Amino acid sequence: MRNGTAAIIGGGVIGGGWAARFLLNGWNVKVFDPDPEARRKIGEVIGNARQSLPMLYERSLPEEGELVFVTSVAEAVADVDYVQESVPERLDLKRKVYAEVESAAPDVPLGSSTSGFKPSDLRKGLASGGRLFVAHPFNPVYLLPLVELVSGGGDANIQESASRVLMSIGMRPLVVRAEIDAHIADRFLEAVWREALWLVNDDIATTGEIDEAIRLGFGLRWAQMGLFETYRIAGGEGGMAHFVEQFGPALAWPWTKLMDVPELTSELVKKIADQSDAQSGGHSIRELEALRDRNLVAVLRALKREGSAAGRVIADHEANLGGEDLGRVPMITVRRMVPSDWTDYNGHMNESRYGQVFSDAADAVLAHVGAGPDYVLAGRSFFTVSTKTDYQLETHAGETVQVVTRVLLGEGKKLKLRHEMQRASDGSMLATCEQFLLHVSLETRKSCDPERPVEDAIKEIASAHGHGWES
């Protein structure tokens, strides 16, 4: 779908994350937040997003949209395609904001980031309440793709439109079938949170020990399989039925205190805060956010490689981003940000990753001439015979690079390419690679001439690249 303009009402951690998610996916964004520090706070969130979200993808995101800060709700929602409210969790404040939105823009889809209120609670008193729905995200909004979508009997067309918008910016709407306080995920998290509070209150475990239990154990499983699939595997060959039969009786034992919560006395609050501060080792919130984002990028990229869980959402979004400009001379075959997990102990990109970039560049050429995945499935392919890479400048994580490719030779079964990897910001040459490929039959594993359409396409590009661009 076309990119539009989004209004973000409330610029805290969540509102800033929404602004970053829309902005980096090519949407223009208007923000209203009366906090005099809003511009700085949102700028820092967007800065985090610029250093992490593009790392998830093997191609570039759309050109960044325009960010504008405005001085009223009415100015924010004028002439926009989508509104996302992220003000504090106070029902009176939210209803006040909705009334202002309705007065200025009664027909625009209006999503609320609320983690607990139901749509029917939010829309009371609104004439256009049917277009209001819950779109509850997870922090950091610019990296985590899940958003709980709760219509609560609202306008079905509005919800479908909202789903398309959210999917276009790389999110996965989880439609909640019926209204319920705290939706799905936060109800689950609250149960875990209650039990954690009791463990600290009763001096059974510290905040650090509880977090270790999660991040070194079941948290790793949940990231890829969730709860039920994890337990299905735990049931062995008997699957979920065997697991429930074996461990179901334990549910009757008084292991947990889920229906109670310890009184949050000043002593308990101080104990939790002191332990949490000590656990963080003196790192600032911004330092912890940066560490969190680098780790999330690495985990999400691993999941994307397997097409699993959140990684599948990213892969699907990437497939809709479009390719690079292969119609120009020379071709731009790759444009992407260097992920943090591509660097080595020297702090710059590892040699093997240069090989991946240049391999991706060659794949882009092959796909352009009709020798992509479908061609391979039909029994033909190009195999790389030799490469020669020269490294000229260091390449660091977070830099956007592009590869400019020229077809030096395209005759029969022979294909020779020259790639130049440049820093996109200033055109500095980072590395070059000359690559020689042979066309082969996958049946005989021997070289052979390409199919005629592929051969003709290569010759045409080689002829065009042979004029006006010297290597």
Side-chain angles (χ1 to χ4, degrees), residues 11 151 221 281 299 306 325 337 347:
S151 171
R221 299 185 309 211
V299 170
E306 299 299 325
D325 182 6
M337 179 178 280

Side-chain angles (χ1 to χ4, degrees), residues 247-266:
F247 294 100
L251 296 176
W253 301 343
W255 280 3
T256 64
K257 299 182 179 180
L258 293 184
M259 299 310 295
D260 266 330
V261 63
E263 182 182 354
L264 292 175
T265 63
S266 58

Side-chain angles (χ1 to χ4, degrees), residues 42-80:
I42 291 176
E44 290 176 355
V45 173
I46 292 174
N48 287 346
R50 288 186 179 122
Q51 289 298 310
S52 55
L53 180 63
M55 290 186 184
L56 295 179
Y57 301 96
E58 313 311 313
R59 58 185 65 173
S60 58
L61 289 168
E63 183 178 349
E64 193 171 302
E66 180 184 6
L67 176 65
V68 178
F69 289 86
V70 298
T71 58
S72 70
V73 170
E75 188 180 357
V77 302
D79 300 319
V80 301

Side-chain angles (χ1 to χ4, degrees), residues 291-305:
L291 175 63
R292 173 203 65 192
D293 289 358
R294 289 194 299 272
N295 289 336
L296 281 174
V297 166
V299 170
L300 290 168
R301 286 181 59 79
L303 292 171
K304 186 180 76 165
R305 186 180 63 240

Side-chain angles (χ1 to χ4, degrees), residues 37 53 76 97 103 432:
E37 292 290 304
L53 180 63
V97 168
S103 176
T432 63

Side-chain angles (χ1 to χ4, degrees), residues 101-117:
V101 174
E102 182 172 61
S103 176
D107 300 321
V108 181
L110 172 55
S112 173
S113 299
T114 181
S115 58
F117 293 127

Side-chain angles (χ1 to χ4, degrees), residues 450-470:
E451 300 289 338
R452 178 56 63 85
V454 171
E455 184 175 10
D456 290 345
I458 291 173
K459 286 181 178 178
E460 181 179 349
I461 295 173
S463 176
H465 286 191
H467 299 85
W469 192 55
E470 297 301 325

